[in-house]
Amino acid sequence: MSDRPQQVVINSPLDMHLHFREGAMAQTVIPLSSYSFAGGVIMPNLVPAVNNLERLTGYLQEIKSIVGDDVFQPYMTVFFKDYSYEELEQFKPHILGIKLYPAGVTTNSEDGVAALDRVETTIKYMEELEIPLLVHGETHGFVLDREKLFLPIFEHLANKFPRLKIIMEHITTAEAVALLDRYENIFATVTLHHLIITLDDLAGGLLRPHLFCKPIAKRPEDREALLKAAIAAHPKLMFGSDSAPHPIDKKEACGCAAGIFTAPIALAALAELFAKHNALDRLQAFVSDNAQKIYDIIPPQKFITLESIPFKVPATYGDVVPMFAEREISWSITKLF
Amino acid sequence: MSDRPQQVVINSPLDMHLHFREGAMAQTVIPLSSYSFAGGVIMPNLVPAVNNLERLTGYLQEIKSIVGDDVFQPYMTVFFKDYSYEELEQFKPHILGIKLYPAGVTTNSEDGVAALDRVETTIKYMEELEIPLLVHGETHGFVLDREKLFLPIFEHLANKFPRLKIIMEHITTAEAVALLDRYENIFATVTLHHLIITLDDLAGGLLRPHLFCKPIAKRPEDREALLKAAIAAHPKLMFGSDSAPHPIDKKEACGCAAGIFTAPIALAALAELFAKHNALDRLQAFVSDNAQKIYDIIPPQKFITLESIPFKVPATYGDVVPMFAEREISWSITKLF
């Protein structure tokens, strides 16, 4: 063993599932992503939702003004609804995909799709126009079953629209991982936190509101399946943090909002995790190459050097508590160029 | 349908699992139990634990001084450890049973029993002296599996000590309910909240720290099994609220303590629940008669009249937020004598 720190250089890391919010919160969180990532998929579940061209271009402008001189490509999305072919054609040059939320399942998804069959015309147009469908795949069932109960809907869509790229967002179960190998046109993102925590971390000891997220963290065998696929850099799996900032008074409260804020610590924590599993050589694929191939995108070049040098996570970024607050991650970003 | 409210009179309701705490908190919570119940089993997991005669009699004195003129019998317990026969003989006239906590599983149980086989001599003495064993039956496994994984330990104890009365405290699973019918010497308590909530209520929408408890609320089919046994007044099942007060700043916090405070609303909420399931005629057995038979006790007489008249639950009692805070329960206590 050498005393010199281990090192890994990642070219153009991508965060394929990101919540940037708007206004003051966007000012806090966007620079934390644009610092270390070369691009990210920006979720449209604002209030009101990003679901028309004006709102989309306005939001993109806001993001670009905050990103400033950082090298960072925001890949925009719009909120799924019953769009006409013409609307979709207008969106197409500006977006990476369309995000579908089953109604009421997660933060600000009240306007999501209540019944899929009523909107299959829009999905058919998307297939024709080669616009990927990004899905928060949960039903309204019991909290631990919601993802599993949604999987038949993914299978239905995959069969009915074989040329549509379908992305299962933030998967949390072994059953969802298994689906990747059964349908050519089904892909997935997975978060940092679902590779690390289970329901035990949220509620096994004291209750930890800053580890409360949707979909909720599941069983140890689910985490194992996700981790196994991630460290193998399964070619249909992409990193997407689902980094979701909420002010501290919305988390440490009587009704705590769902969301874990991981953007500023994600790369260091992933390096630590992949190093622990002797998988550093597969981190590049997991955090960038897989997404480039799946979405057929070429992100801006940006080299991030990570080293096995400890990094103490701050207690807060603005009024947001990050994952691992005040704890040490054994890896850190040491160089950007 | 008559316009007159429905009514039920309960003779000597008993709460067979109660946390009274000490000092200022005891001053807040004890009167709320002694008002509407005729007696209750007082848990010994204080810091330091109630595990010697001096501590036991001191704690009983404190409770009696707060109970004052209310008709309320505190049934005391001591914290399980490796006791000698002589110690157990000394305890015997003062206690209803001995409470066993597997080490570290719940609030203040760090001194609990790490390995049962090392303490079976004490359990054998308890069997000889006819002292019931009250058990927090959870292992150290994954939070959802802890109770199920503990059931074989109950079976082992029931087989090895056939004359020992074993009480599975605050059961939460269908599997635990099923065990009641398989072993003559196994009994159980069930809380109010486990008859009402599932993990969905804690974490299915926003996270609700005031519904966080140990054992954690489980699946809908578990709640159904518990409710079915309760409203049938299963003769081996007793009501035990596990009412566990924590100050609001320990609940709405980064690490939220486990425990739901139900003592002041328990009887009204049970009347509502049993009325809803057309089981009001079995409430007397569930909240009193079953416990009298199982423990062979005769509590003081105390008649509580409940009527289908709405009761608005306060936001707090002292600095403790109760279950159903600021919500209406459709039944209330209207007379005590």
Side-chain angles (χ1 to χ4, degrees), chain B residues 56-123:
Chain B
L56 175 64
T57 52
Y59 190 34
L60 178 58
Q61 267 322 107
E62 180 180 4
I63 292 168
K64 281 186 168 169
S65 77
I66 299 172
V67 166
D69 292 337
D70 277 349
V71 174
F72 184 85
Q73 174 67 47
Y75 295 103
M76 304 303 287
T77 61
V78 291
F79 197 97
F80 187 95
K81 65 184 184 86
D82 212 349
Y83 293 117
S84 69
Y85 194 87
E86 291 66 35
E87 285 174 298
L88 294 171
E89 275 187 311
Q90 284 189 313
F91 287 145
K92 166 91 177 157
H94 305 284
I95 61 172
L96 190 77
I98 296 181
K99 174 72 182 288
L100 187 151
Y101 293 87
V105 166
T106 189
T107 310
N108 302 340
S109 67
E110 284 73 11
D111 296 326
V113 175
L116 268 180
D117 51 358
R118 286 191 277 114
V119 293
E120 289 199 345
T121 306
T122 297
I123 297 176

Side-chain angles (χ1 to χ4, degrees), chain A residues 141-146 198-200 203-210 212 214 216 218-220 252-257, chain B residues 141-146 198-200 203-210 212 214 216 218-220 252-257:
Chain A
F142 177 59
V143 64
L144 293 172
D145 300 340
R146 290 174 190 172
T198 69
L199 187 65
D200 251 351
L206 298 173
L207 188 69
R208 301 290 177 191
H210 297 292
F212 175 56
K214 294 289 173 69
I216 202 165
K218 304 289 188 316
R219 303 183 53 89
E252 299 179 10
C254 184
C256 157
Chain B
F142 177 59
V143 63
L144 293 173
D145 301 339
R146 290 174 191 171
T198 69
L199 188 64
D200 251 351
L206 297 173
L207 187 68
R208 302 289 178 192
H210 296 293
F212 175 56
K214 294 291 174 66
I216 201 165
K218 305 290 189 314
R219 301 184 54 89
E252 299 179 11
C254 184
C256 157

Side-chain angles (χ1 to χ4, degrees), chain A residues 56-78:
Chain A
L56 174 65
T57 52
Y59 189 34
L60 178 60
Q61 267 322 108
E62 180 180 5
I63 293 168
K64 280 185 169 169
S65 77
I66 299 171
V67 165
D69 292 336
D70 276 350
V71 174
F72 184 86
Q73 174 67 46
Y75 296 103
M76 303 303 287
T77 60
V78 290

Side-chain angles (χ1 to χ4, degrees), chain A residues 45-219:
Chain A
N45 57 329
L46 307 177
V47 179
V50 179
N51 62 10
N52 61 67
L53 201 59
E54 191 189 341
R55 183 95 170 100
L56 174 65
T57 52
Y59 189 34
L60 178 60
Q61 267 322 108
E62 180 180 5
I63 293 168
K64 280 185 169 169
S65 77
I66 299 171
V67 165
D69 292 336
D70 276 350
V71 174
F72 184 86
Q73 174 67 46
Y75 296 103
M76 303 303 287
T77 60
V78 290
F79 197 98
F80 187 96
K81 64 184 184 87
D82 211 350
Y83 293 117
S84 69
Y85 193 87
E86 291 65 35
E87 284 173 299
L88 293 171
E89 275 187 311
Q90 284 190 311
F91 287 146
K92 166 93 178 157
H94 305 285
I95 60 171
L96 189 76
I98 296 182
K99 174 73 182 287
L100 187 150
Y101 293 87
V105 166
T106 189
T107 309
N108 302 341
S109 66
E110 284 73 12
D111 297 326
V113 174
L116 268 180
D117 51 358
R118 286 190 276 114
V119 293
E120 289 199 346
T121 306
T122 297
I123 297 177
K124 191 174 151 44
Y125 294 155
M126 288 174 62
E127 183 184 38
E128 288 174 30
L129 288 164
E130 298 185 350
I131 299 174
L133 178 67
L134 288 58
V135 184
H136 181 132
E138 288 195 295
T139 67
H140 294 82
F142 177 59
V143 64
L144 293 172
D145 300 340
R146 290 174 190 172
E147 183 169 298
K148 275 183 229 182
L149 294 172
F150 199 92
L151 297 182
I153 300 177
F154 280 122
E155 300 194 71
H156 165 77
L157 289 171
N159 283 321
K160 186 152 185 182
F161 305 101
R163 287 176 297 112
L164 178 72
K165 280 183 186 167
I166 300 164
I167 293 94
M168 303 187 292
E169 295 293 334
H170 45 54
I171 56 170
T172 63
T173 58
E175 288 84 349
V177 174
L179 215 58
L180 291 174
D181 296 325
R182 299 224 304 274
Y183 292 88
E184 210 176 314
N185 55 335
I186 289 183
F187 307 87
T189 60
V190 66
T191 72
L192 169 69
H193 48 277
H194 289 113
L195 300 178
I196 296 176
I197 68 170
T198 69
L199 187 65
D200 251 351
D201 297 274
L202 171 66
L206 298 173
L207 188 69
R208 301 290 177 191
H210 297 292
L211 296 180
F212 175 56
C213 57
K214 294 289 173 69
I216 202 165
K218 304 289 188 316
R219 303 183 53 89

Side-chain angles (χ1 to χ4, degrees), chain B residues 236-258:
Chain B
K236 300 183 83 183
L237 188 62
M238 304 171 269
F239 173 64
S241 68
D242 196 14
S243 181
H246 292 284
I248 190 167
D249 64 348
K250 298 276 184 222
K251 292 294 286 180
E252 299 179 11
C254 184
C256 157

Side-chain angles (χ1 to χ4, degrees), chain B residues 45-59:
Chain B
N45 58 330
L46 308 177
V47 179
V50 179
N51 62 11
N52 62 66
L53 201 59
E54 191 188 343
R55 183 96 170 99
L56 175 64
T57 52
Y59 190 34

